[in-house]
Amino acid sequence: GRLEAVTQQMGYHPQYLDSFLKTQHYLMHMDGPLPFDCRHYIAIMAAARHQCRYLVNLHVLQFLRAGGDPQWLRGLEFIPPKLRNLNEINKILAHRPWLITKEHIEKLLKISEWSWSLAELVHAVVLLAHCHALASFVFGCGCEQDEGLGGRGSLKPLSLGNQCFCEATAGNSCSQELLRINRKRSLDSCMELDSLRERMQRIHVETEGRDEMRLLQQDREEGEGQGAEVGVQSGSSYGTPGWLSPLADTDGEVTGATNLACYMQDPDFGYQDFARRDEDQTQVFRVQDYSWEDHGFSLVNRLYSDIGHLLDEKFRMVDGLQSSAMAKRQGCEPSVFKRGIWNYIHCMFGIRYDDYDYAEVNQLLERMLKVYIKTVTCYPEKTNSEMFDRFWKQFKHSEKVHVNLLILEARMQAELLYALQAITQYMI
């Protein structure tokens, strides 16, 4: 239950918040193909691709509460090969989803003892897309800079006050059951924090000696001339022992690994502009050939029961949010304005709609808004407070949150379309 900053922002649109929370709860806590600890570790891997400490720290705590092996928090080298094999598709989905092919799917499904089932893979793909898109929302609304989660930035979005987000949205579709669950989680968090501290301190004591011996041995092998480099292994993703696992800081708070690079490989792999050239094998993804409504929904719902309905409700919910003020200021109908944003986001991932005139995008979206949308969508970790403040100065905070919700859902659907199409091609 450490999603206060995110839920406060989404609380400006309580009906969407209710749909989002139902989906996230189902993904993380209800019956499904994947074990609970693996779900949270996959979320850690996904959030790390965008250097989102907010989500990494959140899921580190939930991973431990789900009974996860603390040694896994030392990095990808310490997790089962089956999970580690997910790294490639995580990397591609996060930055260039158009590169996913049925060969990537086949590789995961046919690795002897470490193979994934189709149901497990669909669950994992939905989790990855969910967390990548949520990282965009976290950076876009400034939640990464939330002081309570160790943020370092200066972005200070409006707050709903000290009340629980459920209390702020009571009577607007946020159910009493949801209120009860979140209050219980808050109590559980307080009761479990001490035991988590003790567990992490024990891990620190147990590993400290081994790490010291390893570093001394490495020092002897490298020679005195390289003594200053002790602690950085060749080809390793981590440096000092303090980065090997989450530890209690000086204030007694349990924090996640400070070096997020230990949760990913090939950190230099990032977004590149999608461009269609005659000599390029990359093809434009045409929604007329493979859409969420006609293809993706039925596939994901068949392999991971009911998640299709929850995702579809969330897509429809963000499309139904009122945006008359935004549209009025742009001199167009609300549906036209929202479709312009949605199609612009999909266009950056190579997804095209044959029935849409893309000249409208330049007419509807001013330059600063386009820069903001592209940054939050494609490389959210580069979002800063100046960008947030500069776009649409005359617009309300709730309207800016609405734009970020559109980014979240459009990006998630784009990743799912590519992944599910590849799975479909494998199954044919």
Side-chain angles (χ1 to χ4, degrees):
R2 287 293 297 273
L3 269 177
E4 286 82 356
V6 167
T7 51
Q8 281 187 17
Q9 297 304 313
M10 290 184 182
Y12 284 97
H13 304 279
Q15 289 184 326
Y16 173 85
L17 171 62
D18 189 64
S19 180
F20 172 86
L21 290 174
K22 285 192 295 184
T23 303
Q24 172 146 300
H25 182 72
Y26 189 84
L27 276 172
M28 294 297 180
H29 304 293
M30 300 297 287
D31 290 341
L34 293 175
F36 295 111
D37 58 340
C38 290
R39 302 181 197 191
H40 292 295
Y41 200 88
I42 290 171
I44 292 171
M45 292 171 61
R49 285 305 317 182
H50 286 305
Q51 304 169 37
C52 186
R53 297 177 185 275
Y54 180 100
L55 292 178
V56 169
N57 288 342
L58 168 74
H59 287 288
V60 161
L61 289 172
Q62 294 191 353
F63 169 79
L64 292 171
R65 288 174 182 149
D69 184 352
Q71 294 300 317
W72 292 13
L73 300 179
R74 299 176 68 179
L76 298 184
E77 298 174 14
F78 300 90
I79 65 176
K82 180 175 178 177
L83 264 183
R84 190 160 58 247
N85 291 335
L86 198 64
N87 178 71
E88 183 71 9
I89 197 172
N90 174 36
K91 175 184 76 174
I92 296 174
L93 261 184
H95 305 293
R96 305 174 207 170
W98 57 87
L99 297 181
I100 287 183
T101 65
K102 65 178 181 180
E103 284 73 28
H104 290 108
I105 304 302
E106 183 177 17
K107 184 177 179 181
L108 288 170
L109 297 175
K110 293 186 176 180
I111 312 180
S112 62
E113 58 179 315
W114 304 115
S115 64
W116 290 72
S117 70
L118 267 175
E120 289 174 332
L121 184 56
V122 167
H123 192 171
V125 162
V126 175
L127 277 172
L128 291 173
H130 174 81
C131 292
H132 295 155
L134 186 55
S136 284
F137 184 85
V138 166
F139 281 103
C141 286
C143 303
E144 175 72 4
Q145 286 74 31
D146 178 29
E147 292 180 346
L149 289 174
R152 302 187 302 274
S154 59
L155 187 59
K156 300 295 181 185
L158 300 181
S159 172
L160 294 180
N162 296 323
Q163 63 187 146
C164 167
F165 68 88
C166 285
E167 293 171 350
T169 58
N172 285 296
S173 79
C174 188
S175 66
Q176 292 301 313
E177 178 66 13
L178 192 59
L179 175 60
R180 184 190 64 78
I181 289 172
N182 280 278
R183 282 176 174 166
K184 182 179 184 300
R185 283 182 185 170
S186 297
L187 291 173
D188 290 344
S189 297
C190 296
M191 296 172 64
E192 292 173 1
L193 186 56
D194 289 339
S195 62
L196 280 173
R197 289 173 183 158
E198 293 175 3
R199 288 180 65 189
M200 298 318 299
Q201 289 291 2
R202 284 201 301 270
I203 296 165
H204 180 49
V205 171
E206 291 171 1
T207 59
E208 194 175 45
R210 291 196 299 270
D211 292 331
E212 184 176 352
M213 292 300 295
R214 175 180 57 78
L215 293 173
L216 289 174
Q217 178 65 27
Q218 180 181 342
D219 190 18
R220 286 195 293 269
E221 292 175 356
E222 293 180 350
E224 295 182 0
Q226 297 179 348
E229 297 179 3
V230 172
V232 181
Q233 296 181 336
S234 176
S236 176
S237 298
Y238 51 81
T240 65
W243 289 351
L244 297 179
S245 61
L247 303 172
D249 61 22
T250 54
D251 297 323
E253 288 291 326
V254 178
T255 58
T258 56
N259 180 24
L260 302 189
C262 72
Y263 295 124
M264 59 179 170
Q265 297 170 352
D266 195 4
D268 294 331
F269 186 91
Y271 175 81
Q272 289 184 350
D273 284 337
F274 181 93
R276 187 184 183 188
R277 301 184 179 90
D278 293 338
E279 69 276 9
D280 194 347
Q281 294 182 351
T282 303
Q283 297 295 317
V284 169
F285 186 110
R286 298 197 176 280
V287 175
Q288 283 70 20
D289 298 330
Y290 195 95
S291 67
W292 167 256
E293 294 81 6
D294 297 332
H295 306 89
F297 169 81
S298 58
L299 175 64
V300 74
N301 217 45
R302 176 158 54 92
L303 294 172
Y304 181 14
S305 178
D306 292 332
I307 191 62
H309 292 292
L310 290 168
L311 292 174
D312 195 60
E313 176 188 307
K314 198 154 59 78
F315 293 146
R316 294 177 184 276
M317 189 65 67
V318 78
D319 184 58
L321 291 179
Q322 296 300 315
S323 58
S324 56
M326 293 192 297
K328 183 177 180 180
R329 293 175 191 181
Q330 299 302 112
C332 65
E333 292 296 319
S335 59
V336 173
F337 184 67
K338 286 187 292 186
R339 189 181 184 192
I341 293 177
W342 187 278
N343 289 1
Y344 176 57
I345 294 166
H346 276 195
C347 183
M348 289 185 286
F349 287 117
I351 298 174
R352 305 280 288 190
Y353 295 79
D354 288 345
D355 62 348
Y356 185 72
D357 180 7
Y358 284 87
E360 286 189 9
V361 171
N362 291 329
Q363 297 171 5
L364 293 171
L365 310 182
E366 59 188 52
R367 182 179 176 277
M368 279 309 303
L369 175 57
K370 290 173 67 177
V371 170
Y372 178 81
I373 290 175
K374 183 172 183 177
T375 304
V376 175
T377 301
C378 303
Y379 19 80
E381 62 277 6
K382 295 183 180 180
T383 308
N384 56 48
S385 58
E386 182 181 1
M387 293 180 63
F388 186 86
D389 293 335
R390 286 181 65 188
F391 100 87
W392 284 2
K393 289 184 178 180
Q394 75 276 26
F395 279 60
K396 298 177 181 178
H397 188 84
S398 61
E399 294 170 333
K400 294 189 176 186
V401 173
H402 187 177
V403 172
N404 278 283
L405 292 178
L406 287 168
I407 293 173
L408 187 162
E409 295 301 338
R411 176 181 178 177
M412 182 173 184
Q413 189 179 102
E415 292 189 22
L416 286 177
L417 283 175
Y418 278 109
L420 294 176
Q421 184 193 49
I423 292 174
T424 299
Q425 292 173 343
Y426 165 80
M427 294 172 65
I428 294 176

